Amino acid sequence: MAIVEAIKTAKNAPRKLRISNPATLEEIGVITVTDAEATKAAVRRAREAQREWAQRPIKERCRLMYRALDVLMKNQDEYMELIIKETGRGRAETLMMEILAAADTMAWFAKRGPKELADRRVATPTILKAKKLIQTYKPLGVVGIIAPWNGPFVMGISPAIPALIAGNAVVIKPSEVTPFSGMLIQDLFAEAGFPNDLLQVLPGDGETGAALIDAGVNKISFTGSTATGRKVAAACGQNLIPCTLELGGKDAMIVCADANLERAAAGALAASMFNTGQFCCATERCYVVESVAEEFISLVVEKARELRQGTDGDQDISVMIWPKQLEIIQDHMDDAVQKGATVLVGGRQHPDLNGAWEPTVLTNVTHSMKIMTEESFGPILPIMIVPDQHAAVQLANDSKYGLSGTVWSRSEKNAIAVAKQVETGSVCINETALTFGVHNAPFGGVKDSGMGYVHGPDALKSFCQPVPLIVDRLGMKTEQNWYPLTADKFEGMQKFVKVFYGSVLRKVFG
Ligand code: NDP
């Protein structure tokens, strides 16, 4: 049974989808797919609400965000219960990935928003010292957020927080796989007292997502697969609106000869199995230097065998949120085994747990295998033994993706040198995927992993139009570059250009 099922409706009636729990297959509820007309109407209402919202001082917007944080704290158990139903995930992971991450994002932006977006004086170049430059930021208007199923609450709310603080309205399209977790976001902001229609969540499928891009929004923040990301970028191009794309990854882990192997082995599993591997910056391939490979692999295998898989709430790893993912994993696994990979742990669908793939460790893998080149998005850790860290870097960079990655070495200097050679948006050293959790760190991918940033001051400003204000300070009758442009003025200007840019003055005052 599919966990997203189309329900028969009368001709011309809105489409409906039945959503079920991926672990128990019990029905969670039915959604009505938001069609293009309703999507446009939602964006129109959002624009009305935004006009008033943008007039409010940013400190007031941030005060309301703290109230939303209070609501999140109050309702966290209720929210987690629903998110767990839709994802089949364990409690600890749900708390960390959805509640803690959302709370931290709210607290971070609510505290720093006013300072980051305050008008600020910026020094003008020497030749324009008679002018004052004030940098201001205006909200864009209505921001559309299209979210995936692997973090159904946090991936919707995370970009919404800076967008709202910056003075925008937000319309979110959650994944059809996990719409109810997405809809919690609307309930949360409504309960916190945000204006009506300022944040709306439109349940639906890909068609609703596509309609949202065409509905008159001023920006799209998209998180999802590279394939859909390309379509989103093309549609945003047609509408001439900016987009941020947080896409798939195939993050590499590099284990150097001097790594703390005990920590690296534990980290390898934390990084590859978190959220049952359904995590954009999960470690999807590992390169270990030959001299320590045997010990590292045996530690990984030992720890992988101890992982507890289930659905009782206290498990380490769970079921696949979107059962179709099992087909992709099976395909990658068959391809790897057929080309000579050795399965050390797992390697198959769980025989007794619906929709689950066993935690899997394999070796003897090469870049001719999909498991080393395509995003598997499951609890799988393929390990490749390499002669040295230089070879590891080359292989890590032999990928169409470039989201994040990890380097493990006891020498920080060595690890930083290696990390700087890795072609990704971020790298963690002796840590896993933490760049996603550190708000000051701009998070984004390169290559097929996306463009733009979702965290930090850069993300906040990406929801704004920077408006520089240039103010004259002297109030003279006229200016050298205004009419009439006489021969005298020309000579004077040329003398200035030659003296200023043709001498040491350019270094002193440039
Ligand atoms: P998809 O690309 O399938 O879907 C993402 C969202 O786009 C969903 O809401 C989907 O709706 C919607 N959508 C589908 N078609 C269109 C369209 N033509 N126009 C607009 N929107 C559309 O991704 P998944 O949901 O499968 O998410 C998993 C992917 O997300 C993985 O590749 C993962 O790596 C990536 N990801 C990246 C992150 C990052 O920060 N870089 C973080 C988390 C995940 P519907 O589901 O209803 O069809």
Side-chain angles (χ1 to χ4, degrees):
M1 185 189 124
I3 62 158
V4 180
E5 263 183 308
I7 297 177
K8 268 205 171 147
T9 47
K11 210 176 163 197
N12 297 331
R15 289 190 295 122
K16 288 186 185 293
L17 301 173
R18 179 182 294 116
I19 313 298
S20 302
N21 178 322
T24 62
L25 301 183
E26 278 164 27
E27 179 176 329
I28 300 173
V30 171
I31 60 160
T32 302
V33 174
T34 314
D35 66 16
E37 270 317 301
T39 304
K40 268 196 190 134
V43 171
R44 272 197 303 273
R45 290 195 304 274
R47 191 167 301 288
E48 281 302 308
Q50 190 266 339
R51 288 203 179 97
E52 186 269 330
W53 178 244
Q55 297 308 315
R56 297 194 192 188
I58 186 166
K59 282 194 176 149
E60 191 186 322
R61 301 199 292 258
C62 290
R63 259 197 305 278
L64 262 181
M65 190 56 74
Y66 280 121
R67 226 191 277 165
L69 179 50
D70 288 338
V71 173
L72 176 63
M73 290 301 95
K74 176 170 81 68
N75 295 346
Q76 58 177 289
D77 289 329
E78 182 196 320
Y79 289 2
M80 279 199 287
E81 196 181 319
L82 178 53
I83 297 168
I84 287 170
K85 261 194 205 164
E86 269 196 330
T87 59
R89 220 197 259 138
R91 286 188 307 170
E93 275 187 343
T94 306
L95 179 69
M96 280 188 285
M97 183 165 176
E98 308 279 357
I99 306 298
L100 190 155
D104 199 44
T105 308
M106 285 175 164
W108 198 86
F109 281 111
K111 181 172 176 202
R112 286 161 185 83
K115 192 163 168 237
E116 288 296 337
L117 297 186
D119 291 358
R120 77 190 55 164
R121 275 284 299 277
V122 180
T124 45
T126 306
I127 62 163
L128 288 172
K129 274 289 172 249
K131 313 294 163 190
K132 185 157 76 173
L133 167 57
I134 305 167
Q135 185 59 62
T136 69
Y137 295 94
K138 255 192 196 162
L140 293 175
V142 182
V143 172
I145 295 174
I146 302 176
W149 45 260
N150 67 324
F153 178 75
V154 74
M155 290 299 161
I157 201 170
S158 224
I161 294 162
L164 288 170
I165 283 180
N168 299 283
V170 166
V171 179
I172 302 176
K173 207 299 282 178
S175 169
E176 62 176 352
V177 180
T178 50
F180 291 103
S181 303
M183 286 192 261
L184 289 174
I185 302 169
Q186 184 169 314
D187 299 346
L188 185 156
F189 285 105
E191 191 177 333
F194 278 64
N196 282 346
D197 296 327
L198 185 71
L199 182 137
Q200 298 170 65
V201 178
L202 309 183
D205 54 16
E207 268 182 50
T208 312
L212 180 59
I213 303 170
D214 291 336
V217 293
N218 302 94
K219 173 172 176 155
I220 288 288
S221 176
F222 173 82
T223 308
S225 64
T226 301
T228 311
R230 284 188 207 285
K231 290 186 203 163
V232 167
C236 287
Q238 282 300 320
N239 285 293
L240 283 183
I241 52 171
C243 60
T244 302
L245 303 174
E246 289 299 327
L247 310 178
K250 190 75 191 169
D251 286 3
M253 167 176 194
I254 296 178
V255 184
C256 302
D258 66 343
N260 173 343
L261 296 183
E262 190 71 43
R263 181 172 172 82
L269 291 172
S272 58
M273 308 289 163
F274 183 71
N275 203 25
T276 315
Q278 304 157 109
F279 187 43
C280 57
C281 37
T283 289
E284 289 232 350
R285 53 202 171 111
C286 173
Y287 304 97
V288 57
V289 167
E290 205 168 15
S291 55
V292 293
E294 196 182 329
E295 189 182 345
F296 172 74
I297 292 172
S298 86
L299 282 166
V300 169
V301 167
E302 188 189 312
K303 291 177 196 302
R305 291 203 173 116
E306 287 165 6
L307 288 172
R308 296 161 309 128
Q309 186 165 28
T311 53
D312 63 1
D314 289 324
Q315 69 272 19
D316 296 319
I317 78 164
S318 317
V319 298
M320 303 312 293
I321 300 171
W322 181 219
K324 276 199 176 162
Q325 201 62 37
L326 287 168
E327 293 166 24
I328 298 172
I329 296 172
Q330 186 72 61
D331 176 48
H332 290 189
M333 190 61 60
D334 291 346
D335 174 69
V337 169
Q338 191 245 321
K339 289 175 179 158
T342 308
V343 177
L344 301 175
V345 182
R348 56 175 190 166
Q349 284 193 36
H350 198 295
D352 311 316
L353 200 57
N354 175 62
W357 188 275
E358 288 185 343
T360 295
V361 179
L362 60 162
T363 190
N364 289 328
V365 287
T366 70
H367 277 213
S368 69
M369 301 171 184
K370 291 180 196 170
I371 214 150
M372 292 299 278
T373 54
E374 304 289 331
E375 189 181 42
S376 305
F377 225 51
I380 297 179
L381 180 63
I383 305 177
M384 187 168 176
I385 301 171
V386 293
D388 53 36
Q389 62 187 41
H390 174 69
V393 170
Q394 283 188 321
L395 285 161
N397 290 341
D398 176 28
S399 173
K400 61 186 174 187
Y401 292 109
L403 191 54
S404 190
T406 66
V407 177
W408 303 75
S409 166
R410 279 201 167 89
S411 155
E412 191 177 310
K413 194 172 164 210
N414 177 50
I416 289 176
V418 172
K420 282 184 170 177
Q421 295 171 57
V422 176
E423 294 161 0
T424 56
S426 58
V427 182
C428 284
I429 292 170
N430 300 325
E431 247 308 344
T432 69
L434 256 195
T435 39
F436 195 78
V438 176
H439 290 289
N440 317 47
F443 184 84
V446 297
K447 302 195 217 172
D448 281 6
S449 291
M451 57 190 204
Y453 299 97
V454 285
H455 285 161
D458 291 342
L460 190 61
K461 287 174 186 159
S462 80
F463 291 114
C464 299
Q465 181 196 346
V467 183
L469 306 177
I470 306 283
V471 187
D472 173 57
R473 299 198 309 179
L474 300 183
M476 294 186 308
K477 268 190 187 162
T478 184
E479 295 280 340
Q480 187 72 1
N481 57 329
W482 292 3
Y483 300 120
L485 295 175
T486 59
D488 281 356
K489 275 191 177 175
F490 170 79
E491 271 169 34
M493 270 196 273
Q494 192 172 44
K495 206 178 273 172
F496 170 79
V497 169
K498 282 183 178 167
V499 170
F500 191 84
Y501 296 104
S503 75
V504 71
L505 289 178
R506 65 189 171 196
K507 277 196 177 165
V508 180
F509 298 109

